[in-house]
Amino acid sequence: FKSERDDMFPVHCAIKGKSEKLLRWLVETQCCPLQMFATSNKGSKSSTGKEMDNYLPSLKTSKGRTILDLAMESEDCGILRFLVKEKELSVFEVKDLDIVLRAMDTLIKEQPLIRDESTESKVNSIKIETKKGTSSSAKDNFTKEKTMQAPSNAVAEKVKAAC
């Protein structure tokens, strides 16, 4: 007899409820672990086949879903940033590519527009022209066009590196 329930730890529930504040409190104040403890990791291999002496997999629910599986399903940028950047959990333990791509899409959309120097000089030259009597709509249109374009090369490189 197999149960339909997915038993979870409190950190899983905080992620599922999209509460970054509760997750931080559980981890940082209450010392709830994010990873399973192992007596020996010698010989453990990553998905790339490399040996990982210090690798500790993240806590799993009773159905085998990891903390990052749930975080990526939630598409909550704050929770993902906390787990991956601050707590250094590895995104490579997420097996479902669909979940990863949806989370990546959310993160990219949340990323603020990054302007390079050439863009700034174009905006400044348009501001100068506007002061000389040109209509301000040229500047407004340029700004609107830049915000509607694809992410900058730096963001695109991060996406390529992550895939």
Side-chain angles (χ1 to χ4, degrees):
F1 171 67
K2 213 171 191 184
S3 174
E4 293 296 318
R5 280 182 32 177
D6 194 8
D7 297 324
M8 300 179 182
F9 288 99
V11 290
H12 293 120
C13 296
I15 293 167
K16 195 98 167 112
K18 296 184 178 187
S19 177
E20 179 185 353
K21 186 176 180 181
L22 177 58
L23 178 63
R24 284 180 180 278
W25 179 78
L26 287 167
V27 173
E28 295 172 347
T29 305
Q30 300 302 313
C31 302
C32 286
L34 293 173
Q35 296 171 306
M36 293 189 277
F37 296 101
T39 54
S40 173
N41 288 336
K42 276 281 191 224
S44 294
K45 295 193 186 245
S46 72
S47 60
T48 59
K50 295 180 185 174
E51 282 204 18
M52 300 174 8
D53 291 332
N54 298 324
Y55 174 72
L56 291 173
S58 66
L59 289 176
K60 294 182 179 180
T61 67
S62 62
K63 290 189 174 182
R65 298 188 310 163
T66 67
I67 285 175
L68 280 173
D69 287 331
L70 295 174
M72 288 196 180
E73 283 174 9
S74 79
E75 298 180 16
D76 186 294
C77 294
I79 289 174
L80 285 167
R81 193 174 299 113
F82 173 69
L83 294 173
V84 175
K85 188 171 182 178
E86 293 180 39
K87 295 302 174 184
E88 299 179 351
L89 293 184
S90 173
V91 295
F92 292 104
E93 69 178 43
V94 179
K95 304 291 184 245
D96 188 345
L97 184 60
D98 223 21
I99 293 172
V100 174
L101 292 174
R102 278 197 314 272
M104 180 77 82
D105 182 59
T106 300
L107 289 170
I108 290 170
K109 288 176 181 173
E110 288 290 320
Q111 181 72 24
L113 178 66
I114 300 169
R115 291 186 169 178
D116 58 10
E117 290 178 22
S118 66
T119 304
E120 287 300 320
S121 65
K122 289 175 186 173
V123 170
N124 290 335
S125 68
I126 291 171
K127 285 179 185 174
I128 291 167
E129 289 176 18
T130 304
K131 287 180 182 176
K132 291 180 181 175
T134 317
S135 73
S136 64
S137 63
K139 177 188 163 239
D140 295 339
N141 289 340
F142 178 79
T143 306
K144 287 176 189 171
E145 283 177 19
K146 288 307 288 181
T147 56
M148 292 167 54
Q149 286 182 356
S152 70
N153 289 339
V155 174
E157 290 303 317
K158 287 180 185 177
V159 171
K160 286 178 188 174
C163 294

